[in-house]
């Protein structure tokens, strides 16, 4: 084992520039050396190509004044510390002119997060004589890893005690400490996630109340009561080969569950969620404005900082100009559309599976499968949908990265924004294509008895249950959300934990046995710290991005089809409470330290959330208008029920709705290849019922069908316009920036102008 200090050519000792940074921070020991970054490399043979490339890169750092410390263990570890003049340049370039004049002689302390960010940028952009950067060298296995250090300081102990543990599950997050340790970007993510989770409490209560309202009226629901009492209503067979007729009352339980989520309260809840989504975003804008002001981020510009860092790294750097290629954009657009078509094709494959599975289950000799074929087909289809989400997420990731590389973005932030839009669109179609089919097409494009729409001319498409299709959507969303939140969270925590344990066993060498009389060699304190950090799981620039994407997709489930699944906000709330602290534990105990990044908002994610809010209004309006039975029931009540013909104050106006919503089919009109059993319970069947509004003689649509169609369209237009107007009023009513913040900024401008005026008057007098 060998420890060595590599001196820079500009210094006689390695401690020359450590005066400000090597001073004790928090409760750290005063003799502890401070290092900004650690590079890890395999031990290569002397004179090998990798050893030469490594030396060239370290020489380039030395030329820039970096101090480098080498520790040899099973790997080579290089501690890197930047010279102080780099941070003076950073302060000089990014400090406003007034403070620059006032503090021209005194240098302010540079936060550790800023040091790490600056050093990381220089390491990533240092070019060797072979025109290779650190990224290229890591691809060629010259270096294995590069990371900042988790250090034992007061702030780490505070974060571990108040944040990164399960005991503080319902405590407030220490956002200021998170910012001081991980930077503004991570702190803003947790501030946003905490705010979202807090407001989910109101949505969850409303969702539970909606379900409770439906559950308490089981017995009083006239629609479900009619289904349960329909012992003599013979329904048409659900498959073509050897399927028997069935009695409508067999689906009594299914009808009751449907009414639990498909009732008048659902309409009110859908409107509430449209307003909630708007209020959530408007209140977050206010919260962000407060945070940005307290952290002095209003004047900060990401592009200016990146340009300053480029100049610090290379004073001869020429900024890359803005460019736009219509040819490249066209290629990216075509490829993106092709990818979306592939994702829609996968949704079609799931539709085919459900149709085939339904037919096979119906013909099964197993009584459980044949009796509950529709429910089992829906649930297995949902599980299969979840598996496609897991697989296609990885594919989407690679495709989105490839498309971003084709665009050749100018800066990292532009690349991140482009990638965010693409991956969200791909993930949206991956997650929601199947749900869109169930919500808006299931049972509406399948034809009717005697003239079914078939897949490959053989398998019939699925039909809706007589009480509606909304329960299918409910089951699909429930299965996907439960699987995503349980399996994904378990894997998200277990995989890093197991990986960390394996790395500890693999990387930590056995202690050498001591000979009699031999004194134990004193171990460099840096070695233990570096090894402990190296054993943690690696992070990358997309580590935080993954967390954002996961929560934004969850937000989509919570808002877009929430009318069909009112319990979605409750599941999201439970998930987020766990997610916050699970992420904290991963970041503090299982992963290497993230490179802190500065930010004054959550970036393009806010625009994505606003787009989801608009989609939520459209989606929920369509669910109520098309998927739900709310409109057909209302049309029946006010146009076709007994209440319209005579005054029955004691009668429920939905009486007779089920019989009215079922059409009659003569079994002599079945297709030639259809084989059904003509007898049912010893009775010869001549006609059966099916869910639709068609005439019994020629099977054309009745006038009632067109009345319902017009009512659906009118409701959709009315609902969406009202909801969008309410959203606009809420956005206007709640200012994006609090008055307190505006007054603070106004006062700062006033003080600045007064100082400028006094300086001008003084110079004029002189």
């Amino acid at each position: 084992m060998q420890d060595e200090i590599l001196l820079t050519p500009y210094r006689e000792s390695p401690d020359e520039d450590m005066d400000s940074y090597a001073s004790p921070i928090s409760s750290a020991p005063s003799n502890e050396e401070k290092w900004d970054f650690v590079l890890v490399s395999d031990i290569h043979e002397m004179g090998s190509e990798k050893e030469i490339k490594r030396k060239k890169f370290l020489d380039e750092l030395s030329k820039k004044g970096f101090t480098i410390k080498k520790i040899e263990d099973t790997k080579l570890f290089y501690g890197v510390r930047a010279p102080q003049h780099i941070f003076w340049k950073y302060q000089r370039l990014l400090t406003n002119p007034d403070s620059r004049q006032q503090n021209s002689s005194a240098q302010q302390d540079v936060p550790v997060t800023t040091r790490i960010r600056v050093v990381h940028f220089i390491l990533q952009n240092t070019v060797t004589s072979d025109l290779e950067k650190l990224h290229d060298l890591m691809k060629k296995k010259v270096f294995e890893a590069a990371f900042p250090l988790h250090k034992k300081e007061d702030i780490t102990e505070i974060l571990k005690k108040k944040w990164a543990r399960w005991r503080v599950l319902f405590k407030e997050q220490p956002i200021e400490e998170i910012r001081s340790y991980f930077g503004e970007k991570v702190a803003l993510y947790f501030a946003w996630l905490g705010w979202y989770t807090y407001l989910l409490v109101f949505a969850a209560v409303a969702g539970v109340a909606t379900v409770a309202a439906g559950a308490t009226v089981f017995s009083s629901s006239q629609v479900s009561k009619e289904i349960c009492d329909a012992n003599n209503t013979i329904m048409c067979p659900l498959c073509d080969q050897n399927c028997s007729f069935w009695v409508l009352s067999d689906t009594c339980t299914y009808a009751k569950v449907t009414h639990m989520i498909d009732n008048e309260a659902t309409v009110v809840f859908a409107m509430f969620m449209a307003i909630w989504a708007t209020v959530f975003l408007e209140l977050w804008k206010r919260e962000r404005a407060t945070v940005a002001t307290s952290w002095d981020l209003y004047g900060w510009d990401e592009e200016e900082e990146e340009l300053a860092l480029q100049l610090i790294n290379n004073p001869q750097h020429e900024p890359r100009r803005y460019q736009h290629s219509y040819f490249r954009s066209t290629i990216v657009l075509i490829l993106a559309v092709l990818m979306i078509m592939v994702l829609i094709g996968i949704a079609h494959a799931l539709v085919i599976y459900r149709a085939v599975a339904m037919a096979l289950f119906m013909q099964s000799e197993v009584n459980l499968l044949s009796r509950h074929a529709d429910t089992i087909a829906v649930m297995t289809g949902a599980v299969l949908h979840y598996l496609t989400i897991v697989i296609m997420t990885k594919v989407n990731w690679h495709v989105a990265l490839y498309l971003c590389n084709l665009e050749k973005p100018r800066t990292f932030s532009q690349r991140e924004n482009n990638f965010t839009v693409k991956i969200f669109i791909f993930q949206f179609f991956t997650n929601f294509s199947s749900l869109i089919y169930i919500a808006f097409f299931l049972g509406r494009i399948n034809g009717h008895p005697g003239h079914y729409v078939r897949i490959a001319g053989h398998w019939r498409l699925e039909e809706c249950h007589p009480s509606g299709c909304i329960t299918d959507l409910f089951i699909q969303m429930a299965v996907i959300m439960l699987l995503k939140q349980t399996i994904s969270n378990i894997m998200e925590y277990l995989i890093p934990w197991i990986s960390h344990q394996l790395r500890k066993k693999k990387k930590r060498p056995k202690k050498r046995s001591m000979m009699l009389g031999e004194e134990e060699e004193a171990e460099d304190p840096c070695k233990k710290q570096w090894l402990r950090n190296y054993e943690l799981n690696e992070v990358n620039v997309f580590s935080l991005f993954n967390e954002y994407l996961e929560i934004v997709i969850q937000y989509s489930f919570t808002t877009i089809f929430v009318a069909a699944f009112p319990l979605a906000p409750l599941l999201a709330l439970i998930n987020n409470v766990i997610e916050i602290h699970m992420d904290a534990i991963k970041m503090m105990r299982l992963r290497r330290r993230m490179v802190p990044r500065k930010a004054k908002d959550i970036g393009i994610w806010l625009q994505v959330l606003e787009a989801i809010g608009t989609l939520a209004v459209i989606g929920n309006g369509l669910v109520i208008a098309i998927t739900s039975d709310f409109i057909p029931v209302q049309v029946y009540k006010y146009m076709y029920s007994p209440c319209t013909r005579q005054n029955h104050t004691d009668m429920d106006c939905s009486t007779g709705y089920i019989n009215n919503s079922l059409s009659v089919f003569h079994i002599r009109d079945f297709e030639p290849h259809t084989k059904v059993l003509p007898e049912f319970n010893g009775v010869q069947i001549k006609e059966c019922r099916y869910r639709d509004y068609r005439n019994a003689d020629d099977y054309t649509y009745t006038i009632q069908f067109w009345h319902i169609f017009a009512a659906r369209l009118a409701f959709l237009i009315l609902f969406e316009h009202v909801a969008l107007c309410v959203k606009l009023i809420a956005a206007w009513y709640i200012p994006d920036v609090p008055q307190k913040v505006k007054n603070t900024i106004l006062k700062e401008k006033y003080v600045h102008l007064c100082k400028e005026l006094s300086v001008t008057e003084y110079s004029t007098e002189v």
Side-chain angles (χ1 to χ4, degrees):
M1 308 291 180
Q2 180 184 4
D3 298 351
E4 177 186 352
I5 297 288
L6 299 184
L7 304 180
T8 69
Y10 310 106
R11 288 163 176 73
E12 296 179 357
S13 77
D15 298 322
E16 185 175 328
D17 73 338
M18 290 177 59
D19 48 349
S20 64
Y21 189 49
S23 59
I25 297 179
S26 304
S27 60
S30 59
N31 61 349
E32 182 181 337
E33 296 175 3
K34 303 295 180 182
W35 300 95
D36 299 310
F37 246 80
V38 172
L39 303 175
V40 184
S41 169
D42 285 322
I43 302 174
H44 305 126
E45 292 183 10
M46 290 294 293
S48 66
E49 182 184 2
K50 290 182 178 179
E51 195 270 340
I52 293 171
K53 288 181 178 291
R54 182 180 67 217
K55 189 174 184 305
K56 285 182 179 179
F57 183 79
L58 296 175
D59 286 345
E60 289 296 327
L61 293 181
S62 295
K63 290 176 184 178
K64 294 180 179 180
F66 277 73
T67 304
I68 305 170
K69 176 173 181 172
K70 172 184 170 184
I71 294 180
E72 184 176 331
D73 195 74
T74 54
K75 304 278 185 180
L76 289 179
F77 294 85
Y78 294 93
V80 174
R81 180 173 61 250
Q84 194 64 29
H85 68 81
I86 284 179
F87 306 107
W88 292 344
K89 287 181 182 178
Y90 176 85
Q91 288 181 316
R92 189 79 179 172
L93 289 173
L94 294 177
T95 306
N96 66 65
D98 294 330
S99 59
R100 194 179 299 155
Q101 292 172 4
Q102 295 169 10
N103 301 308
S104 57
S105 58
Q107 298 295 338
Q108 298 177 348
D109 289 338
V110 178
V112 177
T113 52
T114 301
R115 287 190 67 99
I116 295 173
R117 186 168 68 254
V118 173
V119 172
H120 173 259
F121 186 91
I122 294 173
L123 288 176
Q124 294 294 328
N125 290 276
T126 295
V127 184
T128 66
S129 56
D130 298 330
L131 302 179
E132 292 178 318
K133 294 183 179 182
L134 181 59
H135 178 71
D136 304 313
L137 297 176
M138 292 182 75
K139 276 187 175 181
K140 295 178 179 179
K141 307 297 182 183
V142 175
F143 289 102
E144 181 187 330
F147 51 86
L149 295 167
H150 284 294
K151 301 172 186 176
K152 283 192 175 181
E153 300 172 335
D154 282 348
I155 191 169
T156 57
E157 297 306 313
I158 291 172
L159 289 173
K160 286 181 179 179
K161 183 179 179 181
K162 294 185 177 181
W163 187 51
R165 60 193 305 192
W166 295 113
R167 294 181 184 177
V168 293
L169 208 60
F170 301 103
K171 298 284 183 68
E172 187 178 357
Q173 297 181 86
I175 297 298
E176 284 295 333
E177 285 79 4
I178 296 171
R179 178 213 176 195
S180 299
Y181 194 73
F182 287 109
E184 287 82 359
K185 196 174 185 72
V186 172
L188 278 169
Y189 164 73
F190 281 103
W192 169 76
L193 181 55
W195 189 252
Y196 167 48
T197 303
Y198 168 69
L199 288 182
L200 270 175
V201 173
F202 303 99
V205 169
V208 171
T210 301
V211 174
T216 54
V217 293
F218 271 164
S219 57
S220 62
S221 168
Q222 181 63 29
V223 174
S224 56
K225 185 179 178 181
E226 286 185 5
I227 291 177
C228 294
D229 293 341
N231 299 314
N232 298 320
T233 304
I234 308 300
M235 304 297 294
C236 295
L238 296 175
C239 69
D240 296 330
Q241 305 297 320
N242 301 320
C243 281
S244 64
F245 298 94
W246 53 285
V247 180
L248 181 59
S249 59
D250 291 345
T251 58
C252 176
T253 303
Y254 197 96
K256 289 183 176 181
V257 172
T258 299
H259 186 76
M260 181 178 67
I261 53 176
D262 188 6
N263 51 67
E264 288 78 359
T266 306
V267 181
V268 178
F269 178 64
M271 182 67 74
F272 168 81
M273 287 303 296
I275 300 170
W276 176 89
T278 302
V279 171
F280 158 61
L281 289 179
E282 293 303 318
L283 291 179
W284 164 247
K285 290 175 186 176
R286 291 173 60 84
E287 181 73 9
R288 184 209 65 86
T290 304
V291 169
T293 304
S294 63
W295 292 351
D296 196 22
L297 292 173
Y298 260 108
W300 177 80
D301 181 73
E302 187 171 9
E303 186 176 274
E304 183 183 10
E305 172 160 303
E306 189 166 335
L307 190 58
L309 291 173
Q310 290 283 10
L311 289 171
I312 292 170
N313 180 56
N314 178 16
Q316 282 74 45
H317 170 75
E318 288 290 333
R320 184 178 170 186
R321 297 184 178 276
Y322 288 97
Q323 293 179 340
H324 179 75
S325 169
Y326 287 102
F327 174 75
R328 194 178 296 121
S329 299
T330 304
I331 296 298
V332 169
L333 180 61
I334 292 172
L335 292 176
V337 171
L338 287 174
M339 185 62 189
I340 291 171
M341 291 174 66
V342 169
L343 297 174
I344 295 174
I346 292 172
H348 287 169
L350 292 173
V351 172
I352 294 171
Y353 164 79
R354 286 164 60 108
V356 174
M358 178 77 171
L360 294 177
F361 291 152
M362 286 298 301
Q363 298 172 28
S364 173
E365 295 180 359
V366 180
N367 188 48
L368 178 66
L369 290 178
S370 59
R371 283 179 60 85
H372 304 284
D374 51 350
T375 305
I376 295 173
V378 170
M379 295 191 70
T380 54
V383 173
L384 194 60
H385 184 197
Y386 170 75
L387 294 176
T388 62
I389 290 173
V390 173
I391 295 169
M392 290 309 299
T393 295
K394 299 183 184 298
V395 177
N396 293 342
W397 194 270
H398 291 292
V399 173
L401 274 177
Y402 176 74
L403 294 180
C404 278
N405 291 333
L406 283 181
E407 286 181 310
K408 296 181 179 179
R410 196 180 71 86
T411 62
F412 177 80
S413 59
Q414 186 181 355
R415 176 188 177 87
E416 191 176 43
N417 289 342
N418 292 351
F419 180 77
T420 299
V421 172
K422 291 175 181 60
I423 193 67
F424 173 75
I425 291 173
F426 293 159
Q427 286 295 93
F428 179 84
F429 279 96
T430 300
N431 284 271
F432 289 96
S433 292
S434 182
L435 295 175
I436 290 171
Y437 166 76
I438 294 171
F440 309 132
F441 298 99
L442 178 63
R444 292 166 183 82
I445 58 173
N446 60 309
H448 60 85
H451 194 268
Y452 282 114
V453 175
R454 300 178 184 276
I455 298 171
H458 187 64
W459 293 288
R460 285 164 42 180
L461 290 177
E462 296 171 272
E463 299 179 45
C464 276
H465 186 271
S467 59
C469 280
I470 200 166
T471 304
D472 288 7
L473 187 58
F474 176 90
I475 293 172
Q476 186 91 352
M477 288 190 65
V479 171
I480 292 173
M481 284 199 74
L482 285 171
L483 286 177
K484 278 176 71 70
Q485 294 186 178
T486 53
I487 296 177
S488 298
N489 280 344
I490 290 171
M491 299 304 291
E492 190 179 332
Y493 182 78
L494 278 184
I495 289 176
W497 183 82
I498 293 171
S499 176
H500 176 49
Q501 298 303 317
L502 292 176
R503 287 176 67 89
K504 284 171 67 176
K505 290 181 179 180
K506 181 180 178 182
K507 308 296 182 184
R508 190 167 291 172
K510 294 181 180 179
K511 287 190 176 182
R512 182 172 62 87
S513 57
M514 303 295 296
M515 300 292 291
L516 185 62
E518 183 180 1
E519 292 185 6
E520 186 174 357
E521 183 182 352
E523 186 177 52
D524 190 324
C526 289
K527 181 198 285 189
K528 186 177 180 181
Q529 184 189 56
W530 295 0
L531 279 171
R532 188 168 59 247
N533 277 266
Y534 176 62
E535 289 165 356
L536 297 172
N537 296 294
E538 61 180 308
V539 295
N540 54 55
V541 291
F542 291 114
S543 294
L544 187 63
F545 179 91
N546 292 335
E547 308 298 343
Y548 266 116
L549 182 62
E550 178 186 351
I551 299 300
V552 169
I553 292 296
Q554 179 217 83
Y555 178 76
S556 303
F557 274 101
T558 307
T559 53
I560 293 179
F561 289 125
V562 73
F565 188 43
L567 295 178
L570 178 63
L571 294 182
L573 174 64
I574 295 170
N575 174 80
N576 288 3
V577 171
I578 297 171
E579 179 81 19
I580 289 172
H581 296 282
M582 187 168 66
D583 287 346
I585 291 169
K586 286 189 301 183
M587 292 172 70
M588 290 299 300
R589 302 176 187 272
L590 300 177
R591 287 179 178 171
R592 295 169 189 161
R593 187 173 184 175
M594 276 188 184
V595 174
R597 288 185 59 193
K598 209 167 186 178
K600 57 184 178 182
D601 52 36
I602 61 174
I604 199 169
W605 290 111
L606 183 62
Q607 295 169 254
V608 172
L609 292 170
E610 288 176 338
I612 293 171
T614 303
L615 287 174
V617 173
I618 298 171
N620 286 305
L622 286 169
V623 166
I624 296 171
I626 297 175
T627 316
S628 167
D629 254 20
F630 175 75
I631 299 300
V633 170
Q634 301 307 313
V635 171
Y636 175 78
K637 281 183 177 181
Y638 294 103
M639 295 186 68
Y640 297 94
S641 72
C643 296
T644 60
R645 296 188 293 272
Q646 48 190 318
N647 187 17
H648 289 286
T649 56
D650 57 339
M651 177 185 289
D652 190 324
C653 288
S654 59
T655 301
Y657 168 74
I658 289 298
N659 184 63
N660 176 265
S661 66
L662 298 176
S663 299
V664 176
F665 178 76
H666 304 288
I667 63 171
R668 65 175 182 270
D669 296 328
F670 269 126
E671 294 159 300
H673 62 272
T674 303
K675 296 180 181 179
V676 297
L677 304 175
E679 290 189 4
F680 181 73
N681 291 339
V683 179
Q684 191 77 14
I685 304 299
K686 294 184 178 181
E687 60 183 35
C688 59
R689 310 295 295 274
Y690 63 99
R691 178 185 168 86
D692 210 340
Y693 294 92
R694 293 181 182 272
N695 293 305
D697 48 359
D698 57 359
Y699 305 117
T700 56
Y701 286 121
T702 63
I703 190 65
Q704 187 175 351
F705 170 85
W706 298 110
H707 286 161
I708 292 172
F709 179 82
R712 289 185 195 273
L713 188 61
F715 174 83
L716 180 63
I717 294 171
L718 180 64
F719 177 87
E720 293 188 357
H721 279 69
V722 170
L724 288 174
C725 286
V726 171
K727 279 171 66 66
L728 290 173
I729 292 170
W732 164 80
Y733 187 75
I734 305 173
D736 290 353
V737 181
Q739 301 303 313
K740 184 179 179 181
V741 172
K742 288 183 178 180
N743 289 330
T744 301
I745 297 172
L746 179 64
K747 185 177 180 181
E748 289 176 356
K749 289 179 180 178
Y750 174 75
V751 171
H752 166 71
L753 291 174
C754 286
K755 285 183 179 179
E756 288 292 322
L757 182 62
S758 62
V759 170
T760 304
E761 290 178 348
Y762 175 77
S763 59
T764 304
E765 291 175 1
V766 172

